[in-house]
Amino acid sequence: MIEIAAVFGSPRRKGNTATLLRQAIAGARDAGAAVTEIVLRDLKISPCLEIYGCRETGRCAINDDFRQIEPLLARMHGMILASPIFFYTVSAHAKIFMDRCNSSWVKKYWIDRHPFGGQQAYPRKGLFISVGSTRGQRLFDGALLSMRYFMDALDMQLWNSLLFRKIESEGDILQHPDYLASAYAAGAGLVRALAEDPTSA
Ligand SMILES: Cc1cc2nc3c(=O)[nH]c(=O)nc-3n(C[C@H](O)[C@H](O)[C@H](O)COP(=O)(O)O)c2cc1C
């Protein structure tokens, strides 16, 4: 069975990205996947301390709630990460989680000596969901670049992104049933894409 990690990156439990992510989770589950929810604001996760304890084992050396997530990150086939835009990148909750996954980057490129760059067949796929309150053309540029390289560290291709502008107050997203429908469809689509891709597990 295809296994998906769904990461809630907003501090708001009922915020816009959380609402979209719930739709995507419903789509993924209806398409047959097992989805595990990770609510970052409920976990006590230190920022990366850059001590490189991971150089030896490829596992993060900090003993905190990130340890609960590591087995899922190792076995999942795909991830859906939802975060609002905070100052043109992801939320602090999401960024701390992403930085802690640098242990996977260290394992991939330093321990396993996978060549950096170039074309690679990714065994896993990721979906990024984001919203911001403004409408600028470059609103999502920073987050998308971070997301692409974060996902690469986890052997994951940024398969698709759902990005919605002019969404500010809690509940604003409910005024856009088409956005909610596209999140449901993307969740289901991610599972179908994983099932059809021979490079996926
Ligand atoms: C700390 C902070 C920084 C923000 N920075 C931006 C920003 O750079 N650009 C933008 O368009 N909206 C920004 N916003 C607005 C949020 O992206 C917006 O309210 C979004 O709908 C929140 O999503 P959520 O309900 O999932 O938390 C910021 C909000 C906060 C609290």
Side-chain angles (χ1 to χ4, degrees), residues 3-17:
E3 195 164 357
I4 304 282
V7 183
F8 287 78
S10 173
R12 281 174 170 166
R13 290 183 194 285
K14 295 182 178 168
N16 298 302
T17 50

Side-chain angles (χ1 to χ4, degrees), residues 92-110:
H93 290 82
K95 187 60 166 55
I96 286 172
F97 164 70
M98 290 161 68
D99 286 355
R100 289 294 294 280
C101 292
N102 194 50
S103 50
S104 295
W105 190 97
V106 166
K107 180 171 187 327
K108 181 174 178 178
Y109 291 111
W110 287 357

Side-chain angles (χ1 to χ4, degrees), residues 9-20 82-89 91 130-136 139-140 164-173:
S10 173
R12 281 174 170 166
R13 290 183 194 285
K14 295 182 178 168
N16 298 302
T17 50
T19 302
L20 288 164
S83 169
I85 295 297
F86 283 1
F87 290 109
Y88 287 86
T89 188
S91 69
S130 190
V131 307
S133 59
T134 57
R135 51 184 297 176
L139 177 56
F140 299 103
F164 300 116
R165 293 173 169 81
K166 294 175 75 179
I167 302 292
E168 183 157 39
S169 303
E170 198 169 77
D172 277 0
I173 202 74

Side-chain angles (χ1 to χ4, degrees), residues 81 90 98 128 143-152 158:
L81 190 150
V90 293
M98 290 161 68
F128 176 51
L144 282 173
L145 201 53
S146 298
M147 204 50 58
R148 185 168 140 208
Y149 286 100
F150 155 70
M151 289 196 175
D152 171 89
L158 178 56

